[in-house]
Amino acid sequence: MSAPRSLVLTAAVLLSCGALFNAFIPAPRLVTQPAPVSAAAVSLSAAALVTPTAAHAAESSVWIPALSAVGAGFAIGLAAIGSGVGQGIASGRCIDGISRQPEVADDLRGVLLLSLAFMESLTIYGLVIALVLLFANPLIK
């Protein structure tokens, strides 16, 4: 009995979506020609890519500190995002468990606090890696 009703509702939704998408007027597409590239820009780009001395300033590499700063940003950013998502999921599941069985609230709370401490320690490891890359970088002489 529910199969014909489901088919009718599915068809109605598909037809209404099709009508909705046809109701919008598409934006005009402008076809532009690519800008002509001058020979000076091509030669300058090739020189910058081929010449390795462009990356050096006063006989020390500029790339290592720059990429270390980028790596430090990624280290602390990914550590904070991962820990934040994990802590949010763990806290939500703990609240779900407490709401289902209030008598085990003390046990769940203790396990939650311990797991949150472990998750936060991983964020602190990311911070330590970021600080090492910024201030005590082993790659710089």
Side-chain angles (χ1 to χ4, degrees), residues 1-131:
M1 184 74 180
S2 66
R5 179 177 168 215
S6 174
L7 290 174
V8 169
L9 289 175
T10 302
V13 167
L14 289 176
L15 287 174
S16 64
C17 286
L20 180 67
F21 286 132
N22 288 333
F24 293 110
I25 298 172
R29 295 183 187 238
L30 299 175
V31 179
T32 59
Q33 298 295 330
V37 180
S38 66
V42 171
S43 62
L44 185 61
S45 298
L49 288 174
V50 173
T51 308
T53 58
H56 297 285
E59 296 190 20
S60 65
S61 178
V62 175
W63 287 103
I64 292 176
L67 292 177
S68 295
V70 171
F74 277 123
I76 193 63
L78 292 176
I81 288 171
S83 178
V85 169
Q87 287 178 359
I89 291 172
S91 299
R93 297 290 167 92
C94 181
I95 290 171
D96 288 342
I98 290 174
S99 66
R100 290 176 191 221
Q101 292 181 333
E103 62 272 5
V104 295
D106 292 334
D107 295 336
L108 286 176
R109 192 176 302 117
V111 171
L112 174 70
L113 291 176
L114 184 64
S115 63
L116 290 178
F118 284 131
M119 285 184 236
E120 196 62 36
S121 71
L122 294 176
T123 305
I124 293 170
Y125 290 150
L127 175 66
V128 168
I129 290 171
L131 291 175

